[in-house]
Amino acid sequence: MVAYGAAISLKNMIEHILESSRLSLVLPSPQIIQSAYEAMCHLQKALLKLDDTGYNKMRTKVNALDDRIKEVVWEFEDLLESHLYDQILPQLESSGGVRDHLSFSIDLQSLRQSVDCFVERVAVMEAEYEVELVNMPEEEGEPVSSRIDCHRINSDMVGSSPSQIFKQVRDHLLEFQDEHVNWLLVTGMVGVGKTTLAKKVFDDPIIQRHFEFRAWVKVGRKCEFHETLRCILAQVDPNTHHQMSDNKKLVGVLEERWKDKKCLIVLDDVWEWDTQLMDNLRKENVRILLTSRIRIEESAVQEVILLNLEDCKKLLGEKVFGEEGFPPHLDELGKKIAYKCEGLPLVVVIVAELLSKQDKTIEYWTEVATKQHNSVFVDAYNQILEVLFPSYDYLPQYLKLFFLYLGAFPPYTDIVLPRLISLLSAEGFLEPNVNQTLLDFIVERLGMLNGYYHLVLFKLPVRSWFSLRECRVHSCLQHLCKKEASKIKFLHVLQSYDDVMKDQRRLCAHSHMLFAFEQVYDSISSDCSSTIRSFLCLGPYYKYPVPIHAMNFKLLKVLDAYPVRFYHIPLEILKLVCLRYLALTCNQDLPVSISNLFNLQFLIIKPHFYIKKRGVVSYMPEQIWDMQELQYIEVNGRDLPTPNSDATLDKLCSLHGVSAKSCSREVLKRIHNLQILSIEVELEPYNDDDDSSPLTRLDCTLEELHKLESFTYHVVNPEMKYEYLVPLSMFPSSLTTLHLFGLGCPWKHMNDIGLLLPNLKDLNLYQYAFRGLEWDIESRRFLNLKTLVIEDTDLVRLRAQHGSLPRLDLLSIRHCYKLQQLDWMCDPSIDTTHTIELVECNPLLVASAKQLSPESMFTVYWYSSFWDEKSKQRLLTG
């Protein structure tokens, strides 16, 4: 389960050593560790063979062997990294900083023996693994009597959305016309109510009248053609099924029995597509309803979604108190408990059972509603672990650690996607496909976990104000992730001062106050400080320092302590030469010794508060140019200095939080591979005579950056006394995303930008980025733009001429109180539906936009907090 990710991690580490210009360890004899690299490549291929086995195979022995392989790989990784650490740090400290080449006095003979021993052990275990794969036993099948017994399945459904889905499924079955595709798949998350829905359809009087034969089969992970046919025949002709052993005879009897009769077959809890079964059941008068926790086939699909909060509360109240629901004094607490169930009926039902056994006191219910790790929810999650675990256990190898890692984040909150991408990039246990960026890889994997396996709640973040932006794991699945990840020593989420943390590879905390306990500090230092690779503080911001830096994490690769304030950057952190990711909050300037972290890829330092000294420009130390692995820099309030040497940061892709001082020609030509740039400019309040544009503070254009795709320019606390002009030459034609804040430029210059940036797809204008009463978007402007966001401006009239914005999907106008008229002269030859959303805008603008709707090329959404409650119910009205 973990060995695959461990092999990738070790392989990536060895590859970095072999390619590093500063590590001369491998120069005398690179083949010493090359053999370990090749062994990991071979091991990966062997481990992937597990994915070719069926869902009906029992994986107990294979998983145990996988765990042993993982331990061997981790042990060698520790050995190799410890060799490097023990020699790199003393040399850096003695030389006062990064040197171009580091020399080593490692006993090469001893290292060779360690590598040879490791490669031999892996080869033996790999061979054993392949034998175990062949000999995996099959799961025992259930008797026919239990597989066809559906009478005890509850068909009660709560809520308008489930009722609507039920009607859609029922109507679909009744109206089936295509004899070649005579089945419907009902899919969704474990416990969401797929079987309940199917049972309600199965028992529905209209269905019973329409179908003369009905059969229910619980399939499960062991899908057997012969047994499924017997189960169907047992309900169509109970007297003959036990006499049949030949599949052809079974099919023949079935065809004879349902000849000229309509038949409904429900196949419940299907795991894999049985082509033989479906081909034999494809008859003109047979309709098949399948339920599955995975999306097993591309065809007609109905997804069962989570309950909304109102329906979730109603179900909980009925299960605990009966039809009358919650008593008044527990109503609000009931709502909070229902919220924690996150719309999953299985959790609601089990939590209700546990609550029913306890006193119905305000004190007890308050504890359940407010305490994150309350025993009621922990007990409920533990009860359903057996049901949830196969969904994880049978994931493909490349998704398992990815999924477990998501369990590190706090429950009930969305995961910030850019943060997740950066962390996973630094972790090193993922391997994107060839010609695939890590961003594409992660988004694709999240999409699979969401759409195919239903283990993650994920919707791509879009600019729409009305859209749901979510990336999270349901709390019951998070419980599975945390329990399994801790068991295999991959990741442990700290929940108490007496947690057992022996040999864990990653630690995560949601409550940073835990580090104030001496027991926690001592346990980490003694039990896992030598094995920890990642230390993640993912809870809410905590403004007082805690001692997370003095625990001797010598092999640490990821330190995300951004939510914890530091008064100064601890020296202990600057000795973590294996560190790839560093994020923390501190007002102190970066020390020169930051360059000791020569493996660092992500540097994120945010201030606790902003203090700007008059006439003083703050810079990062010049030694930042020695950190050749840097890919991402976000050091707010600090600029990149101009180096005295010819140093470059060729791997730097993202630069955030700097001022225009970081954009001199000398600096830009040394970060020529930059793809994302975010600049913040704070106008000096004491310099009232300066009427120059904030953009003219750039001493040169951004055309030095030929790979720049996203540019943000934010004028903090803008002053609107003057009309500024945009120096059009500053924008490289490669830009696809542009965010502008507070520039105060006239709208006519926006048309020039639309002409000069042919690749622009996403344009966001905030806080009077442009100003003026009218913007007339000229023809042939913004030919590839898909999203346009305008927020907080003095516009009165917006007009789009024929030929402009031909590919625009979304026009979002927010807090533009003066805007009254919207004219959009679309080209009727372009078959595109445009979405217009108006948030807190003038009612006259809403009326103007609605006049566009009859052309059927526009969908208009609007919202205003000033409207009455009845109007708020019509937020999404087209």
Side-chain angles (χ1 to χ4, degrees):
M1 294 188 295
V2 187
Y4 183 79
I8 291 176
S9 179
L10 177 57
K11 189 178 76 170
N12 288 340
M13 189 195 78
I14 294 175
E15 186 174 33
H16 172 67
I17 294 173
L18 294 174
E19 294 179 352
S20 174
S21 61
R22 287 182 168 147
L23 299 176
S24 60
L25 166 65
V26 297
L27 294 180
S29 306
Q31 68 275 13
I32 292 179
I33 56 176
Q34 180 69 35
S35 59
Y37 177 89
E38 293 168 356
M40 292 302 95
C41 294
H42 201 273
L43 177 62
Q44 277 184 263
K45 294 179 181 178
L47 294 172
L48 282 174
K49 294 178 182 179
L50 178 63
D51 295 340
D52 296 328
T53 60
Y55 289 109
N56 62 324
K57 297 293 186 178
M58 303 293 288
R59 297 186 169 189
T60 306
K61 289 186 177 181
V62 170
N63 288 344
L65 182 54
D66 182 282
D67 193 61
R68 286 167 47 204
I69 296 173
K70 169 260 297 181
E71 293 292 342
V72 171
V73 175
W74 281 352
E75 180 184 337
F76 182 75
E77 185 178 56
D78 291 347
L79 172 69
L80 192 55
E81 287 191 311
S82 293
H83 270 311
L84 295 176
Y85 177 89
D86 291 340
Q87 298 200 43
I88 291 174
L89 183 61
Q91 291 194 53
L92 291 176
E93 290 181 330
S94 63
S95 65
V98 171
R99 296 161 55 183
D100 289 338
H101 294 281
L102 300 169
S103 59
F104 295 89
S105 57
I106 288 179
D107 184 344
L108 294 181
Q109 182 62 32
S110 175
L111 180 60
R112 186 189 301 274
Q113 291 176 355
S114 298
V115 173
D116 291 344
C117 179
F118 167 69
V119 171
E120 183 178 346
R121 290 178 69 188
V122 169
V124 171
M125 298 178 80
E126 183 182 313
E128 184 181 351
Y129 186 87
E130 294 189 346
V131 171
E132 289 292 350
L133 283 180
V134 175
N135 296 318
M136 278 194 300
E138 289 192 0
E139 182 184 41
E140 292 185 8
E142 296 184 47
V144 171
S145 59
S146 63
R147 296 177 67 181
I148 66 176
D149 182 13
C150 63
H151 297 96
R152 289 174 294 179
I153 298 174
N154 188 358
S155 61
D156 294 336
M157 300 178 67
V158 173
S160 57
S161 180
S163 299
Q164 183 180 2
I165 294 174
F166 157 74
K167 187 177 184 302
Q168 291 172 350
V169 171
R170 185 187 63 184
D171 293 348
H172 192 93
L173 292 172
L174 295 173
E175 297 168 4
F176 256 137
Q177 299 295 330
D178 188 352
E179 63 182 75
H180 301 292
V181 183
N182 64 337
W183 57 274
L184 173 67
L185 172 65
V186 174
T187 187
M189 184 179 166
V190 178
V192 79
K194 302 180 295 295
T195 300
T196 300
L197 172 65
K199 183 61 165 52
K200 186 172 177 64
V201 172
F202 191 76
D203 292 341
D204 184 73
I206 298 177
I207 290 289
Q208 292 187 32
R209 289 194 296 269
H210 184 81
F211 294 101
E212 296 166 89
F213 287 133
R214 292 175 304 125
W216 180 287
V217 183
K218 179 184 177 184
V219 179
R221 289 191 288 109
K222 190 173 184 179
C223 181
E224 297 176 295
F225 173 59
H226 177 76
E227 286 302 305
T228 303
L229 289 179
R230 288 185 64 217
C231 289
I232 295 171
L233 186 58
Q235 298 166 81
V236 174
D237 189 347
N239 298 320
T240 59
H241 79 279
H242 59 279
Q243 303 173 2
M244 298 287 180
S245 58
D246 182 82
N247 290 337
K248 288 186 178 180
K249 290 182 179 181
L250 278 169
V251 172
V253 173
L254 279 173
E255 290 180 343
E256 179 64 28
R257 295 294 183 272
W258 63 42
K259 184 178 181 181
D260 299 326
K261 294 181 175 63
K262 293 184 174 65
C263 181
L264 172 65
I265 299 173
V266 175
L267 302 178
D268 186 38
D269 192 26
V270 179
W271 278 72
E272 56 187 334
W273 189 253
D274 189 329
T275 303
Q276 185 182 13
L277 175 65
M278 299 307 293
D279 286 345
N280 280 280
L281 295 179
R282 281 185 179 176
K283 306 301 176 186
E284 183 179 349
N285 55 331
V286 178
R287 300 295 177 255
I288 304 169
L289 179 64
L290 303 93
T291 73
S292 177
R293 64 179 69 188
I294 58 179
R295 189 163 181 159
I296 57 175
E297 187 76 4
E298 286 294 334
S299 188
V301 177
Q302 178 65 61
E303 183 174 351
V304 182
I305 61 176
L306 296 169
L307 299 176
N308 60 37
L309 180 56
E310 181 180 347
D311 292 338
C312 194
K313 177 188 173 185
K314 181 180 179 182
L315 178 60
L316 182 65
E318 290 179 355
K319 291 296 181 181
V320 179
F321 297 101
E323 292 185 4
E324 66 274 13
F326 294 106
H329 69 288
L330 293 178
D331 187 75
E332 190 60 32
L333 291 172
K335 182 177 181 180
K336 292 180 179 180
I337 295 174
Y339 172 80
K340 293 176 69 174
C341 295
E342 295 188 280
L344 191 65
L346 179 61
V347 174
V348 176
V349 170
I350 297 178
V351 167
E353 291 177 359
L354 295 172
L355 287 174
S356 298
K357 299 175 183 178
Q358 303 294 332
D359 294 334
K360 312 298 189 297
T361 63
I362 292 179
E363 292 76 16
Y364 180 74
W365 278 54
T366 299
E367 181 183 351
V368 176
T370 57
K371 187 177 179 181
Q372 181 171 325
H373 304 294
N374 180 266
S375 61
V376 168
F377 279 90
V378 173
D379 290 347
Y381 296 156
N382 285 333
Q383 286 188 34
I384 62 177
L385 270 180
E386 187 177 353
V387 179
L388 299 177
F389 183 75
S391 291
Y392 159 73
D393 194 24
Y394 289 89
L395 279 176
Q397 296 289 312
Y398 59 85
L399 283 177
K400 286 184 175 177
L401 288 190
F402 181 92
F403 176 60
L404 290 184
Y405 195 80
L406 299 179
F409 292 86
Y412 316 117
T413 57
D414 283 340
I415 301 170
V416 179
L417 191 58
R419 187 182 194 182
L420 174 65
I421 293 169
S422 297
L423 286 170
L424 287 172
S425 176
E427 290 284 2
F429 59 79
L430 296 181
E431 187 174 49
N433 299 325
V434 180
N435 300 324
Q436 187 179 36
T437 66
L438 187 68
L439 170 61
D440 293 339
F441 176 84
I442 291 174
V443 170
E444 181 182 296
R445 270 37 184 179
L446 285 171
M448 290 182 66
L449 286 171
N450 171 60
Y452 191 83
Y453 295 102
H454 298 100
L455 291 174
V456 169
L457 305 173
F458 175 66
K459 289 183 175 63
L460 277 174
V462 295
R463 292 292 174 189
S464 173
W465 187 88
F466 291 101
S467 66
L468 293 175
R469 302 175 179 90
E470 62 180 7
C471 177
R472 60 189 175 92
V473 180
H474 193 283
S475 53
C476 70
L477 287 168
Q478 272 198 322
H479 183 77
L480 165 66
C481 289
K482 289 186 288 189
K483 204 173 185 69
E484 185 63 24
S486 182
K487 174 185 174 183
I488 61 180
K489 309 296 184 185
F490 171 69
L491 182 147
H492 180 78
V493 178
L494 283 165
Q495 297 180 353
S496 174
Y497 68 89
D498 58 355
D499 280 11
V500 177
M501 295 171 277
K502 184 68 174 175
D503 296 331
Q504 292 289 342
R505 306 290 284 190
R506 290 167 183 83
L507 285 183
C508 173
H510 301 158
S511 174
H512 308 138
M513 274 297 296
L514 281 169
F515 304 120
F517 289 94
E518 188 175 350
Q519 298 97 315
V520 174
Y521 180 93
D522 292 341
S523 294
I524 293 175
S525 297
S526 61
D527 291 348
C528 57
S529 62
S530 62
T531 59
I532 287 296
R533 293 307 197 276
S534 301
F535 197 87
L536 309 172
C537 299
L538 301 179
Y541 184 70
Y542 189 72
K543 65 180 179 179
Y544 301 106
V546 290
I548 66 172
H549 54 84
M551 300 180 201
N552 194 28
F553 298 138
K554 71 174 188 177
L555 301 182
L556 198 69
K557 293 181 180 178
V558 175
L559 175 57
D560 190 339
Y562 164 64
V564 179
R565 179 188 177 186
F566 287 79
Y567 290 145
H568 58 85
I569 299 178
L571 293 178
E572 293 90 341
I573 290 179
L574 301 174
K575 296 180 180 180
L576 301 175
V577 296
C578 297
L579 208 62
R580 298 175 183 171
Y581 181 106
L582 174 61
L584 49 84
T585 297
C586 183
N587 273 85
Q588 183 195 29
D589 287 340
L590 288 178
V592 171
S593 53
I594 190 71
S595 60
N596 284 348
L597 308 180
F598 70 98
N599 280 311
L600 201 66
Q601 299 171 357
F602 297 85
L603 176 60
I604 304 168
I605 309 292
K606 296 189 177 181
H608 172 65
F609 43 70
Y610 288 85
I611 299 178
K612 186 174 182 181
K613 298 179 180 178
R614 179 170 179 171
V616 175
V617 179
S618 296
Y619 289 98
M620 301 175 223
E622 187 179 344
Q623 285 75 11
I624 200 81
W625 293 98
D626 292 327
M627 303 171 70
Q628 296 296 301
E629 299 298 321
L630 279 174
Q631 301 175 17
Y632 183 104
I633 297 178
E634 185 173 356
V635 183
N636 294 63
R638 303 286 184 269
D639 281 297
L640 274 175
T642 303
N644 293 323
S645 63
D646 58 355
T648 60
L649 293 177
D650 292 334
K651 295 183 179 181
L652 188 63
C653 296
S654 297
L655 179 61
H656 302 265
V658 297
S659 75
K661 297 290 184 180
S662 292
C663 296
S664 66
R665 186 175 299 277
E666 278 300 309
V667 170
L668 292 182
K669 72 180 183 181
R670 299 167 191 270
I671 52 174
H672 53 90
N673 288 320
L674 205 64
Q675 297 175 11
I676 302 173
L677 174 61
S678 176
I679 294 176
E680 290 188 4
V681 173
E682 185 171 0
L683 300 183
E684 299 173 347
Y686 46 81
N687 196 3
D688 295 333
D689 296 330
D690 186 2
D691 61 350
S692 62
S693 165
L695 285 171
T696 61
R697 296 165 187 262
L698 296 171
D699 345 13
C700 67
T701 73
L702 299 179
E703 289 181 345
E704 299 277 348
L705 305 176
H706 301 293
K707 298 182 179 180
L708 193 67
E709 297 177 357
S710 176
F711 178 54
T712 299
Y713 200 96
H714 189 179
V715 178
V716 182
N717 302 321
E719 173 60 62
M720 293 297 155
K721 292 190 301 182
Y722 306 102
E723 181 179 279
Y724 300 127
L725 300 180
V726 180
L728 300 175
S729 59
M730 68 171 288
F731 297 122
S733 60
S734 58
L735 280 182
T736 60
T737 301
L738 181 60
H739 300 257
L740 299 174
F741 296 74
L743 293 173
C745 300
W747 284 109
K748 60 183 179 181
H749 291 286
M750 197 72 255
N751 288 324
D752 297 327
I753 292 176
L755 184 63
L756 295 175
L757 298 182
N759 299 308
L760 198 63
K761 295 180 180 179
D762 191 357
L763 175 61
N764 300 266
L765 308 173
Y766 301 100
Q767 300 171 10
Y768 280 74
F770 285 76
R771 60 177 178 169
L773 302 182
E774 182 172 327
W775 181 19
D776 191 352
I777 306 176
E778 299 172 2
S779 181
R780 307 296 298 169
R781 298 310 194 263
F782 302 105
L783 297 182
N784 287 296
L785 197 68
K786 294 187 175 181
T787 302
L788 173 58
V789 178
I790 305 174
E791 181 174 307
D792 189 16
T793 183
D794 58 352
L795 264 179
V796 174
R797 180 173 180 264
L798 174 60
R799 180 173 180 264
Q801 295 184 16
H802 273 299
S804 66
L805 307 170
R807 298 190 179 184
L808 194 71
D809 295 327
L810 172 67
L811 170 62
S812 180
I813 302 175
R814 310 167 190 175
H815 301 275
C816 296
Y817 306 109
K818 296 182 180 181
L819 189 57
Q820 301 178 17
Q821 186 175 352
L822 177 62
D823 297 328
W824 198 331
M825 303 169 65
C826 285
D827 186 345
S829 64
I830 300 176
D831 185 18
T832 303
T833 299
H834 305 279
T835 296
I836 301 174
E837 62 178 27
L838 309 174
V839 180
E840 302 287 14
C841 289
N842 194 313
L844 294 176
L845 179 63
V846 175
S848 176
K850 287 174 66 177
Q851 291 178 358
L852 301 173
S853 297
E855 297 182 19
S856 74
M857 299 177 65
F858 297 91
T859 301
V860 181
Y861 303 131
W862 70 89
Y863 169 77
S864 173
S865 58
F866 296 102
W867 294 345
D868 58 48
E869 289 300 317
K870 184 177 180 180
S871 297
K872 285 187 179 181
Q873 302 304 313
R874 297 184 285 107
L875 296 183
L876 303 183
T877 303

